[in-house]
Amino acid sequence: MITIKPFKAIRPKDEFVSNVASLPYDVFSREEAKKYVEEKPFTFLRIDRPETNFSTNIDMYSDEVYEKALFLLNEWITKGILIEDNEKGFFIYEQTLFLGEEAHTQTGLVCLSSTDDYINNRIKKHENTVNEKQKDRYNHIKKLNAHTGPIFLTYKQKDEITNEINNIKINSEPLYELNTNNPKTKTRVWGVYDKSIISFLKNAFLNIECTYIADGHHRAKSAINVGLEKKDNEEAQYFLSIIFPSNELQILPYNRYVCDLNGYTLDEFLNKIKEVANIEIINIKKENDFKVENKNEIIMYINNTFYKLKFLKKVISKNQGDIINSLDTTILQDYILDKILGIKDPKEDKRIEFIGGIKENTYLLDKVRNNGGVCFFLYPVNINELLQVADENKLMPPKSTWFEPKLLSGLFIHKF
C-alpha cells in the first residue's frame, strides 16, 4: 500500500527549461561542477551545488554556501525563471537514452512519496548511506525548505498504471521537450491536473505493495530526517520522487580501477588470480564497443593486455544461495580486491575508483596506460537481483548499480 500525492510544482518557465535542466549534483566532481556552471550560468546545478558560486577554497558545507542556494532559488522565482503551478498535479516523465544505434525509453510518474512509507519499509533500500553526503543534502533541503532533486524509485509493473500513463502521453501535448548530450537523451514531460486521473493513479498505487529506491539513497534519507524534525509541516512528510516500472529500467555495469598491484609483480598478481578464476588472454579490436557478456565473468585490463576472468566453480558454488554473495561485485571484492589487492573498505580506500558504465571504456583503459594499475569491467546487476536484495532487507556492496539515464534536476521543485 503506497501513498502518493500531487503537488504544486515550482518548475522552469518554458523558455528557460533547456538552460535550467541539469544532471544531478552527485555525478559531478567539485571541479567539474565549477566548470559547468561557469559555462551555463542558469543551470540548476548552481542551486544544487551552491559552492560553485564561490572560490574553490570555500568550505562547501558552510552556512554561507547553503544561504546562497536559498538566495538563488528565491531570485529565480522572483525573476520568473521558475514559476509555481496554480494547482496540484502529477507529471509524466519520459526519457529516451541513445547509445550508438540503440535507444532505451523509460516513463515514470512524478509525485510526492510518503516519509511514513520509507520509515515503515514500504519504500525499500539496497544501499547504505555515507554520513557526510547525507548531511550535505539534509542541510540543503532544510535551508531551502524544498526538495530540489527527485528520488528515483521503481515498482513492479502494473498494467492499469502503465495503460493510464500511456493514454496521457497519447492524448495530450507535452509541457516540455528537450534534448541533452553526454549522454544523448531526449526528455518529455506531461502535466496531469485532471482530478479524476489524479484520483485513479493515487488509488492504483494503494494496490502496490512497495516501491524501491533505485537511485538517491542519500537524498531520500536526508528528506526523511528533515520530515522527522518538521512533524507539524504536512508537506515535509512527503518527498519528491519519480516512480518507474521496474521492467523499463536499465542498469549499466559499475566498473573498477585500482591504481597499483599491492606490491605484487605482474606474474605474481596473475598467479594469484588463477587461484580463483580461469584466465584467458583475449583480443579486443574495438575498445569502446566491448562489454562483458556473462555473469561470473570479468574483463580485466593490465599491462596493455585484455584478460577474460571466469570465476572457478568452487568460488561460484560457495556463494550460491545468497543473493548478496552471488553478485559479481561481491565476488570481485571478496576474492580479488580484498584478498589480493588489499582493499578492505572500498568506500574509504583511495586506491580504488568506481566508474559508471556510461563512461567510454577507454576512460578506464587510459587510466591504466597513463598511471599503471589494473581495471575491471563487470557484468551488470539486473533489476530482479536488486529487487530481491531489497525484499530480503539486505544491502549491496558499494557502487554495484549505475542507472542510466539519470533524472534531470531543476524540472520540479517541491516547496514545503
Side-chain angles (χ1 to χ4, degrees), residues 30 34 46-73 136 139-140 143-144:
R30 186 168 185 176
K34 179 74 172 173
R46 284 190 68 196
I47 294 174
D48 252 358
R49 291 286 294 271
E51 79 278 5
T52 57
N53 299 281
F54 300 87
S55 64
T56 54
N57 60 1
I58 194 169
D59 178 3
M60 62 186 294
Y61 305 122
S62 65
D63 289 342
E64 182 182 6
V65 167
Y66 298 110
E67 288 284 357
K68 184 66 173 180
L70 177 60
F71 172 82
L72 286 172
L73 178 61
D136 166 53
N139 289 337
H140 194 274
K143 177 59 68 175
L144 273 61

Side-chain angles (χ1 to χ4, degrees), residues 25 130-138 218 222 399:
Y25 76 100
V130 178
N131 287 336
E132 186 177 66
K133 292 182 179 180
Q134 184 180 306
K135 184 179 179 181
D136 166 53
R137 286 302 99 179
Y138 165 83
H218 291 92
S222 302
K399 310 296 185 184

Side-chain angles (χ1 to χ4, degrees), residues 264-276:
Y264 291 113
T265 66
L266 176 61
D267 287 341
E268 289 171 340
F269 177 66
L270 293 177
N271 285 330
K272 285 287 185 182
I273 294 284
K274 290 175 182 177
E275 295 176 9
V276 296

Side-chain angles (χ1 to χ4, degrees), residues 92-325:
I92 307 303
Y93 185 88
E94 177 198 81
Q95 295 175 293
T96 301
L97 172 69
F98 300 92
L99 289 176
E101 297 180 356
E102 298 180 4
H104 167 82
T105 298
Q106 58 192 37
T107 305
L109 180 70
V110 184
C111 61
L112 300 185
S113 290
S114 165
T115 58
D116 278 348
D117 284 347
Y118 181 101
I119 292 166
N120 293 311
N121 204 35
R122 290 189 290 269
I123 298 175
K124 299 191 174 187
K125 309 89 184 167
H126 69 270
E127 281 185 9
N128 265 327
T129 55
V130 178
N131 287 336
E132 186 177 66
K133 292 182 179 180
Q134 184 180 306
K135 184 179 179 181
D136 166 53
R137 286 302 99 179
Y138 165 83
N139 289 337
H140 194 274
I141 294 168
K142 188 174 180 181
K143 177 59 68 175
L144 273 61
N145 278 323
H147 303 121
T148 61
I151 312 305
F152 188 161
L153 301 180
T154 188
Y155 67 100
K156 295 174 182 176
Q157 187 264 352
K158 296 287 186 182
D159 286 345
E160 61 175 337
I161 298 174
T162 299
N163 292 339
E164 185 64 32
I165 286 175
N166 287 336
N167 285 336
I168 295 167
K169 290 165 61 175
I170 292 169
N171 296 312
S172 58
E173 292 296 318
L175 284 176
Y176 300 135
E177 191 165 348
L178 64 152
N179 296 292
T180 51
N181 291 314
N182 300 319
K184 185 178 179 182
T185 307
K186 180 178 181 180
T187 301
R188 297 196 295 172
V189 175
W190 291 260
V192 182
Y193 303 102
D194 185 298
K195 288 183 172 57
S196 63
I197 297 177
I198 289 172
S199 179
F200 175 86
L201 290 170
K202 286 176 64 177
N203 289 332
F205 270 89
L206 289 175
N207 295 319
I208 299 290
E209 181 180 349
C210 61
T211 57
Y212 304 80
I213 298 178
D215 201 5
H217 285 79
H218 291 92
R219 277 168 284 158
K221 181 62 174 173
S222 302
I224 301 309
N225 289 342
V226 172
L228 289 171
E229 282 191 10
K230 296 179 177 286
K231 285 186 176 292
D232 295 333
N233 186 323
E234 168 102 15
E235 286 296 301
Q237 307 313 307
Y238 294 83
F239 59 87
L240 182 63
S241 62
I242 307 181
I243 313 179
F244 294 86
S246 61
N247 64 330
E248 293 186 11
L249 297 186
Q250 172 179 247
I251 303 178
L252 299 183
Y254 223 138
N255 301 314
R256 274 85 165 127
Y257 165 72
V258 180
C259 66
D260 61 56
L261 299 185
N262 196 29
Y264 291 113
T265 66
L266 176 61
D267 287 341
E268 289 171 340
F269 177 66
L270 293 177
N271 285 330
K272 285 287 185 182
I273 294 284
K274 290 175 182 177
E275 295 176 9
V276 296
N278 290 318
I279 301 182
E280 174 189 356
I281 294 177
I282 56 175
N283 182 29
I284 290 180
K285 294 180 180 179
K286 296 183 179 180
E287 292 186 343
N288 271 330
D289 289 343
F290 77 83
K291 59 183 179 181
V292 181
E293 298 292 342
N294 300 297
K295 185 176 171 63
N296 298 139
E297 293 181 3
I298 289 174
I299 291 178
M300 179 177 75
Y301 181 75
I302 184 172
N303 196 36
N304 295 314
T305 306
F306 289 94
Y307 298 88
K308 180 185 286 187
L309 311 184
K310 291 185 178 182
F311 290 114
L312 299 177
K313 286 184 179 179
K314 67 178 183 180
V315 172
I316 297 170
S317 61
K318 185 177 179 180
N319 290 278
Q320 284 180 340
D322 184 292
I323 182 61
I324 296 296
N325 289 336

